[in-house]
Amino acid sequence: MTLKVENLTGGYGPLPVLKNETFDVLNNEIVGLIGLNGAGKSTTIKHIIGLLQPREGEIRIDGIKLQENVEEYRKKIAYVPEIPVLYPELTLKEHIELTIMAYDLDKKSTWNRANKLLKKFRLDNKLEWFPENFSKGMKQKVMIVCAFMRDASLFIIDEPFTGLDPIAVHDLLELVEEKKVNGSSILMSTHILATAQQYADRFILINNGQVKLQGNLKELQRAYKMPDASLDDIYMEMTREVINNG
């Protein structure tokens, strides 16, 4: 087991956003994190990567809590945020070198992986470019390269398809599948439910900071008594319940 979240309660202000969330993401598994805007997906991710501290409960990656070993915990995570975060004064090449240094990676082997990814995402001739020269989609590709050139235990991908062209979406999903086959765990938050249904092994449906339901598609269909439903159908049913219940 890679990621284990137990009874997580937390958030930003005086009132908790997350309430007793419990779920896991196993090795060789892609899990889709699904919910409405404001349901708590991004807050959940921020707790996992250590930007927010739990008020109650705990989070472990490969059995390690952040509080026990900050450096070791963070090395286990590769993160692709919804909004790319790049340093305006650094070139693409320097972003890669910074990532290698920050995670104490082997320079030669990591650059070998990075060069393959740069070519895949058509960035190999832009190593001296600064972020101001990149489109939104290109910035997202830089984040993907910096994450996937690592051999992390857990890959967290937050709304990764925003701004990506169809070829880049295909290339990213190919990378996700490769990491899964090689033993990593992937937690992917996305609103593109057809893609989530095609690639994810299980789903976590979040509403109002709580895990409303989790399981594979068959298990979700049984829970909603919709034997032939797609993930989109189930998502819409959950949405209607949220609206009807105020």
Side-chain angles (χ1 to χ4, degrees):
M1 181 180 296
T2 297
L3 172 66
K4 188 170 184 63
V5 176
E6 289 189 287
N7 301 315
L8 173 62
T9 296
Y12 302 90
L15 296 176
V17 175
L18 309 179
K19 310 173 191 76
N20 296 311
E21 285 188 344
T22 295
F23 63 89
D24 54 38
V25 184
L26 307 179
N27 297 333
N28 303 98
E29 184 177 49
I30 301 170
V31 172
L33 189 62
I34 310 296
L36 297 170
N37 290 333
K41 302 187 303 299
S42 292
T43 306
T44 299
I45 289 172
K46 286 175 182 176
H47 277 82
I48 295 170
I49 65 177
L51 292 181
L52 293 173
Q53 294 296 315
R55 298 184 187 182
E56 296 179 20
E58 65 178 31
I59 303 167
R60 292 182 180 270
I61 301 176
D62 292 338
I64 299 174
K65 290 200 297 184
L66 177 68
Q67 298 87 342
E68 295 172 347
N69 191 327
V70 173
E71 185 177 351
E72 188 66 22
Y73 181 96
R74 288 186 168 152
K75 280 184 177 180
K76 291 182 176 294
I77 301 171
Y79 174 48
V80 180
E82 178 180 4
I83 299 173
V85 181
L86 299 174
Y87 298 97
E89 70 277 10
L90 298 183
T91 64
L92 170 54
K93 181 181 179 181
E94 289 168 335
H95 275 90
I96 293 172
E97 290 174 341
L98 179 63
T99 303
I100 291 172
M101 183 172 59
Y103 291 97
D104 193 25
L105 304 173
D106 178 76
K107 190 169 184 178
K108 183 177 179 181
S109 61
T110 305
W111 261 112
N112 285 338
R113 289 194 294 271
N115 283 326
K116 291 176 183 176
L117 291 167
L118 290 166
K119 188 171 183 180
K120 178 186 281 284
F121 287 101
R122 297 161 298 284
L123 294 171
D124 49 316
N125 62 344
K126 299 175 176 60
L127 280 168
E128 301 303 327
W129 284 30
F130 290 92
E132 66 179 10
N133 304 122
F134 292 132
S135 66
K136 182 177 181 180
M138 291 169 73
K139 290 177 182 177
Q140 189 72 339
K141 291 176 185 179
V142 174
M143 301 302 296
I144 292 167
V145 169
C146 288
F148 280 83
M149 69 186 194
R150 297 177 50 218
D151 288 324
S153 294
L154 174 66
F155 287 81
I156 299 177
I157 313 173
D158 191 4
E159 297 294 344
F161 308 121
T162 305
L164 293 184
D165 57 75
I167 295 175
V169 169
H170 176 272
D171 290 340
L172 173 57
L173 290 169
E174 191 176 69
L175 287 177
V176 168
E177 285 282 346
E178 287 175 6
K179 292 296 184 183
K180 169 189 166 179
V181 169
N182 290 331
S184 295
S185 307
I186 297 95
L187 180 64
M188 181 169 65
S189 171
T190 180
H191 284 119
I192 305 179
L193 300 187
T195 301
Q197 179 175 327
Q198 183 179 355
Y199 286 90
D201 301 290
R202 290 192 295 120
F203 309 94
I204 299 166
L205 273 59
I206 293 182
N207 172 42
N208 194 28
Q210 295 177 304
V211 176
K212 183 174 179 62
L213 193 64
Q214 57 183 309
N216 60 34
L217 184 60
K218 288 292 184 185
E219 290 167 335
L220 300 187
Q221 290 169 339
R222 284 196 295 269
Y224 275 93
K225 297 181 173 59
M226 301 168 66
D228 300 316
S230 65
L231 182 61
D232 186 75
D233 295 331
I234 294 168
Y235 180 84
M236 292 305 297
E237 182 63 24
M238 185 185 79
T239 302
R240 281 190 285 269
E241 286 184 1
V242 171
I243 293 171
N244 292 335
N245 293 332

